[in-house]
Amino acid sequence: MAVFTHSVGGQTWRFDSLKEVMAKASPARSGDFLAGVAASSDGERVAAQMALADIPLKHFLDEALIPYEDDEVTRLIIDGHDRAAFDPVSHLTVGGLRDWLLGDMADETSLRALAPGLTPEMAAAVSKIMRVQDLVLVAQKIRVVTRFRNTMGLRGRMSTRLQPNHPTDEPAGIAASILDGLLYGNGDAMLGINPATDSLSSICAMLEMLDAIIQRYEIPTQACVLTHVTTSIEAINRGVPLDLVFQSIAGTEAANASFGISLEILREGHEAGLSLKRGSLGNNLMYFETGQGSALSANAHHGVDQQTCETRAYAVARHFDPFLVNTVVGFIGPEYLYNGKQIIRAGLEDHFCGKLLGVPMGCDICYTNHAEADQDDMDMLLTLLGVAGINFIMGIPGSDDVMLNYQTTSFHDALYARQSLGLRPAPEFEAWLERMGIAHQRDGRVRLGEQLPPAFRQALAQLG
């Protein structure tokens, strides 16, 4: 195990492992202090970042942060590494990779080719020595395009997950939120419900309802009920119409075990979803959610800093060719990301690292009510991620999730980002909005305050 040193202001700092220098190079966040792995001072953090910048990328292939024999995620990373794809940057240090990423040689084509050659630890390392503008600049070069019933991730597009959660899973309440969101041009990423109960009968009823809505109005989108992957498998076995298979994932085997999953269980879910052949444009059908701090909260981080653990989760995700991956950035709470500044930085890191690894990244731009953050912080992160080329964000009535009790982005927020940044929905969904009369054909703008489309007037009347 290598030792790394760097001197700052006449003091020499020593880091006894790659794991230690990675942790202490991380920008300050509450979770790393909670875990006891953070730098003790700004001086030590700078020294760690300088030491990290000088480490050759090849070293990451020789020193695993979590031992190969102890962790199936480590084995997935090492065994799946593409040496040929890595070759163009194999001579670089972490700092050299940063410089290369910021240069003109790193374009959309070269970055797509590089993705399988990078390990999550390499991506996490370079992100730790990048400014906010660096994270935005590189991420906006990268496009990860996926398809199921529509196309996600195209340049100039930003999609939304319409999240019609209800505290009692009441069908009329869910339907009303879906109608509201569609009228604001939301829902092209998916109609995705976090169920209040994990009852199989309730899950199946929601899946049937979502499918009926999509079929009735011929909406080019996909549905997802965010239940455990084993519940989705059972629903599929019962013949229930299920589009996207969901699961929360983390970056260590032990953290995934705390979710009741393994790589084998995820494989079974993926194969079950594929067996339905419900995608009309493609077969990307897994939907994963992640978040910095999940491994630490399960005491399954192995002394690895929370941002690196998070990035390792993207190796799990990309193995299953997902439709979308969502970092629920501020949801776990201030114990892990204390305030708006830490949440903003984490959201940009996650998006950058995921895209660099070839993962179709979205972000639930959110915070809990006891965090030192507010909606202004979320507006800043939303704008930065819009510039950075985020694949999708959340759309929730009034930005206040009444079931999960946290604050996120609203239907209106998506319209703000699209209008301000010149972004549009997925092309198939945009054409549907125009055909239904929800959006103007001349410019795609949503017809806010204008007469409802006839089909939706009837639906609203039925809701009472």
Side-chain angles (χ1 to χ4, degrees):
M1 190 173 294
V3 173
F4 308 96
T5 62
H6 195 84
S7 297
V8 175
Q11 181 173 357
T12 298
W13 298 91
R14 173 188 166 116
F15 310 99
D16 291 330
S17 66
L18 183 60
K19 181 190 301 186
E20 182 182 5
V21 75
M22 290 274 284
K24 292 188 173 179
S26 280
R29 60 206 57 196
S30 52
D32 289 337
F33 286 106
L34 180 66
V37 301
S40 60
S41 65
D42 290 340
E44 185 179 23
R45 182 172 301 108
V46 169
Q49 289 172 341
M50 297 296 288
L52 182 61
D54 290 336
I55 297 175
L57 293 177
K58 288 180 179 178
H59 184 80
F60 289 82
L61 303 176
D62 298 327
E63 184 177 346
L65 302 190
I66 302 173
Y68 182 92
E69 59 275 13
D70 295 343
D71 186 90
E72 68 173 359
V73 178
T74 298
R75 294 193 290 275
L76 177 69
I77 292 167
I78 298 300
D79 295 346
H81 182 247
D82 188 330
R83 293 267 180 171
F86 177 60
D87 188 63
V89 298
S90 62
H91 62 290
L92 297 176
T93 61
V94 173
L97 177 61
R98 173 189 177 274
D99 294 342
W100 183 84
L101 290 170
L102 293 170
D104 293 338
M105 292 290 291
D107 57 15
E108 186 172 345
T109 301
S110 62
L111 289 169
R112 184 183 302 114
L114 175 64
L118 294 178
T119 68
E121 291 83 357
M122 293 175 192
V126 74
S127 74
K128 295 175 190 296
I129 62 170
M130 299 181 91
R131 295 171 58 184
V132 162
Q133 65 174 249
D134 298 338
L135 298 172
V136 172
L137 175 61
V138 176
Q140 65 82 30
K141 298 181 184 185
I142 304 169
R143 288 297 180 271
V144 182
V145 178
T146 57
R147 294 176 175 86
F148 190 73
R149 287 203 192 96
N150 57 22
T151 308
M152 293 288 109
L154 296 171
R155 189 170 295 277
R157 308 278 177 172
M158 186 192 74
S159 298
T160 60
R161 170 186 156 193
L162 201 170
Q163 185 169 304
N165 293 349
H166 192 277
T168 62
D169 292 337
E170 205 273 320
I174 291 172
S177 291
I178 291 173
L179 175 61
D180 189 23
L182 291 172
L183 290 172
Y184 279 98
N186 281 238
D188 49 339
M190 73 184 77
L191 309 181
I193 301 174
N194 297 88
T197 173
D198 222 20
S199 156
L200 181 59
S201 60
S202 177
I203 298 298
C204 291
M206 280 186 277
L207 286 167
E208 296 275 9
M209 181 185 74
L210 291 174
D211 183 64
I213 292 171
I214 289 172
Q215 298 302 325
R216 176 177 179 180
Y217 297 106
E218 298 180 332
I219 309 171
T221 190
Q222 36 283 317
C224 185
V225 174
L226 281 67
T227 187
H228 196 270
V229 62
T230 55
T231 306
S232 294
I233 293 171
E234 181 56 32
I236 291 169
N237 290 338
R238 295 187 178 200
V240 174
L242 185 149
D243 293 338
L244 304 182
V245 177
F246 166 77
Q247 184 55 50
S248 293
I249 58 173
T252 72
E253 179 179 348
N256 284 326
S258 76
F259 293 148
I261 62 166
S262 64
L263 295 178
E264 176 60 23
I265 291 173
L266 293 177
R267 184 191 62 77
E268 292 174 9
H270 185 223
E271 291 181 353
L274 287 173
S275 72
L276 296 178
K277 300 180 180 178
R278 292 178 59 81
S280 56
L281 296 183
N283 293 319
N284 303 113
L285 55 78
M286 300 299 286
Y287 174 54
F288 295 119
E289 288 194 343
T290 67
Q292 288 194 28
S294 59
L296 175 58
S297 68
N299 194 29
H301 61 296
H302 296 270
V304 176
D305 68 90
Q306 68 179 37
Q307 189 251 338
T308 301
C309 279
E310 166 73 6
T311 306
R312 284 169 54 93
Y314 306 150
V316 176
R318 72 177 174 181
H319 185 64
F320 296 99
D321 298 320
F323 184 63
L324 291 170
V325 176
N326 179 27
T327 169
V328 193
V329 65
F331 184 74
I332 302 181
E335 300 86 352
Y336 306 97
L337 295 169
Y338 178 72
N339 56 21
K341 182 175 182 178
Q342 291 186 11
I343 292 171
I344 290 169
R345 172 79 195 190
L348 294 170
E349 288 170 349
D350 294 350
H351 178 249
F352 163 86
C353 289
K355 284 285 184 68
L356 196 59
L357 294 169
V359 173
M361 290 301 296
C363 183
D364 190 341
I365 301 162
C366 64
Y367 62 100
T368 57
N369 290 315
H370 62 309
E372 291 294 323
D374 58 27
Q375 215 63 37
D376 285 344
D377 297 310
M378 300 305 101
D379 286 348
M380 285 187 279
L381 180 53
L382 169 60
T383 305
L384 288 164
L385 285 171
V387 175
I390 193 81
N391 279 32
F392 81 108
I393 62 168
M394 300 295 110
I396 293 177
S399 76
D400 183 6
D401 192 302
V402 296
M403 194 280 283
L404 291 174
N405 293 309
Y406 77 116
Q407 309 303 311
T408 180
T409 46
S410 70
F411 303 143
H412 305 74
D413 294 335
L415 293 187
Y416 146 73
R418 285 173 175 165
Q419 183 173 339
S420 298
L421 302 174
L423 302 171
R424 296 153 61 190
E428 301 86 358
F429 190 81
E430 182 178 47
W432 178 83
L433 291 173
E434 294 171 357
R435 188 166 63 251
M436 291 292 290
I438 297 172
H440 291 283
Q441 292 190 349
R442 66 179 183 272
D443 59 11
R445 293 283 184 93
V446 173
R447 297 173 180 267
L448 294 179
E450 300 182 25
Q451 190 175 23
L452 285 174
F456 280 31
R457 286 204 300 273
Q458 181 182 359
L460 192 60
Q462 290 174 347
L463 287 170

